[in-house]
Amino acid sequence: MNFLNQLIVRFVKLLPKPVVYLFAKKYIAGKKLEDAVRVVKELNQKNIMATMDVLGEAISTKEEALAAKEECFEVLDAIKNNNLNANLSIKPTQLGLSIDVNFAFDTILEVVKKAASFGNFVRIDMEDSPYTDKTIDLYRKIKAHYPNNVGIVVQAYLKRTMDDVIALNKEGGHYRLCKGIYVEPAEIAYKDRERVRKNFLDVLKRMLDDGNYVGIATHDDPLVEGAYKLLEEKNLSKDKYEFQMLYGVKENMRDKINADGHRLRIYVPYGEQWYAYSVRRLQENPQVAWYITKAVLKLD
Ligand code: FDA
């Protein structure tokens, strides 16, 4: 990483939002639902599925959670009305989990109920570790009502994940498996890159061995290769898993996975609350600082 990139990563929070938006544009569909619908249509034309996400987390009032629920309803309506090949991803704290567990359960249940009425599906994203147990609990309860319309995310960096998966597999899991994006303490999370990769592939194997549907969410070459190998060894039919990637990330890999004939879903975030998500993307891959530089210097 060159000096300029390091500087941008360190001081990104001091940059004016319009400047940050210049690079954010690469990772979000836009600020409006219609932007996300346009992006998903483009993906669908390439035979790529989507999961749509209304950006926003860390809310502090029930009113905000209820407003987020209404936005989720609008996304589900838009998917139906535009005949999109897409489902919905939600963040539990955005729908009230940090305020009141029972309230969040009711709110998320309503979203899943609406999705189910359209034959659609809701993926419950996994946030940081204070919410792991609560999120798994919510998922289990909601799945009892709508077994085919809800899925959960598990994070390979957490040491507990294999145990969680073994337990959840008994009830039939519908998973997205990712590395995990939050900064967690070493007591509960693997810090070594290779150890996280190993756990990812071990957990993936266990999920598939037990016959669960898995969204394999990564852009990491060794993990994609490891997953390919596992799928080949198991001779698994293509309707038993899918790959998942983030919008704007590693499009060459995306096109290769798609061309290889695997199901592929892109996570398409949009919304007015684009800032926190975009800063996380930048901090995760400082190379994208180059996009800011290019945008600011108008090199495009
Ligand atoms: P890694 O971080 O090693 O990336 C591999 C390579 O991909 C990098 O070297 C870089 O080239 C490229 N790359 C990765 N991220 C990039 C970026 N943002 N911009 C540009 N290039 C990038 N996490 C979580 O805790 N809870 C969740 O619910 C989800 N949900 C989710 C959904 C989907 C569809 C995906 C793909 C990911 C998530 N994540 C997540 C995020 C996940 O945990 C993880 O942080 C990222 O996927 C990055 O990890 P990789 O496995 O891609 O490897």
Side-chain angles (χ1 to χ4, degrees):
M1 189 185 12
N2 67 31
F3 178 68
L4 184 60
N5 284 357
Q6 282 184 35
L7 210 65
I8 290 176
V9 171
R10 182 170 287 192
F11 293 111
V12 64
K13 291 194 172 143
L14 301 179
L15 290 172
K17 278 196 174 181
V19 174
V20 179
Y21 191 70
L22 291 174
F23 88 82
K25 275 193 310 197
K26 182 169 163 52
Y27 298 101
I28 58 171
K31 294 179 187 171
K32 303 271 178 248
L33 176 55
E34 66 216 46
D35 299 320
V37 168
R38 178 182 33 79
V39 164
V40 172
K41 279 184 182 167
E42 286 163 12
L43 290 168
N44 285 174
Q45 274 165 12
K46 295 180 178 152
N47 201 26
I48 298 174
M49 305 177 289
T51 185
M52 297 169 74
D53 168 57
V54 187
L55 287 169
E57 31 215 293
I59 53 127
S60 53
T61 66
K62 289 188 175 175
E63 286 68 34
E64 287 173 293
L66 294 173
K69 181 186 76 177
E70 291 302 322
E71 284 193 89
C72 290
F73 285 176
E74 285 170 23
V75 174
L76 290 167
D77 284 330
I79 292 173
K80 178 167 184 282
N81 296 338
N82 291 280
N83 208 12
L84 303 177
N85 190 346
N87 60 34
L88 174 71
S89 284
I90 56 159
K91 291 217 165 16
T93 59
Q94 194 182 355
L95 291 165
L97 190 60
S98 56
I99 302 173
D100 174 342
V101 177
N102 293 327
F103 168 76
F105 169 76
D106 290 342
T107 315
I108 297 173
L109 187 69
E110 273 190 71
V111 175
V112 177
K113 180 179 175 191
K114 176 149 178 137
S117 75
F118 294 161
N120 209 335
F121 181 87
V122 177
R123 173 75 57 193
I124 304 178
D125 283 359
M126 186 60 79
E127 299 174 271
D128 43 339
S129 56
Y131 299 110
T132 312
D133 278 323
K134 289 176 184 159
T135 304
I136 291 176
D137 221 46
L138 270 177
Y139 161 70
R140 276 202 163 111
K141 287 190 185 135
I142 291 174
K143 192 163 171 291
H145 292 264
Y146 299 103
N148 300 317
N149 306 94
V150 66
I152 194 165
V153 178
V154 295
Q155 298 156 322
Y157 65 16
L158 288 187
K159 295 178 181 172
R160 59 177 284 170
T161 290
M162 182 60 100
D163 290 339
D164 287 337
V165 164
I166 289 170
L168 287 166
N169 282 357
K170 293 191 182 123
E171 303 154 27
H174 194 308
Y175 299 108
R176 172 193 299 150
L177 171 63
C178 65
K179 282 184 184 170
I181 200 173
Y182 301 89
V183 180
E184 298 289 359
E187 297 81 62
I188 63 164
Y190 299 117
K191 294 290 170 184
D192 177 66
R193 201 175 163 77
E194 287 308 320
R195 188 67 189 83
V196 176
R197 281 183 176 143
K198 180 176 172 348
N199 203 40
F200 189 109
L201 291 174
D202 289 348
V203 168
L204 175 60
K205 181 167 186 320
R206 182 67 195 231
M207 289 169 165
L208 296 175
D209 282 349
D210 289 352
N212 302 284
Y213 189 90
V214 189
I216 307 166
T218 182
H219 320 90
D220 194 15
D221 294 300
L223 289 186
V224 172
E225 282 157 26
Y228 266 42
K229 200 163 152 248
L230 208 60
L231 297 169
E232 213 174 281
E233 278 165 16
K234 294 186 73 64
N235 199 17
L236 207 64
S237 76
K238 290 197 157 58
D239 58 347
K240 300 280 191 263
Y241 66 91
E242 63 190 44
F243 284 88
Q244 297 188 353
M245 297 176 67
L246 300 173
Y247 180 65
V249 177
K250 287 187 98 168
E251 283 165 1
N252 290 344
M253 174 184 273
R254 178 196 78 179
D255 293 343
K256 162 100 174 53
I257 293 173
N258 193 30
D260 288 342
H262 301 287
R263 284 159 65 86
L264 174 64
R265 188 179 302 276
I266 300 292
Y267 189 101
V268 178
Y270 81 93
E272 299 291 344
Q273 306 291 321
W274 55 270
Y275 184 74
Y277 178 85
S278 309
V279 169
R280 272 211 307 276
R281 295 273 81 79
L282 173 67
Q283 289 171 337
E284 192 177 56
N285 182 9
Q287 290 299 324
V288 300
W290 171 238
Y291 292 112
I292 299 190
T293 317
K294 270 204 313 190
V296 172
L297 300 178
K298 298 201 182 345
L299 296 178
D300 260 341

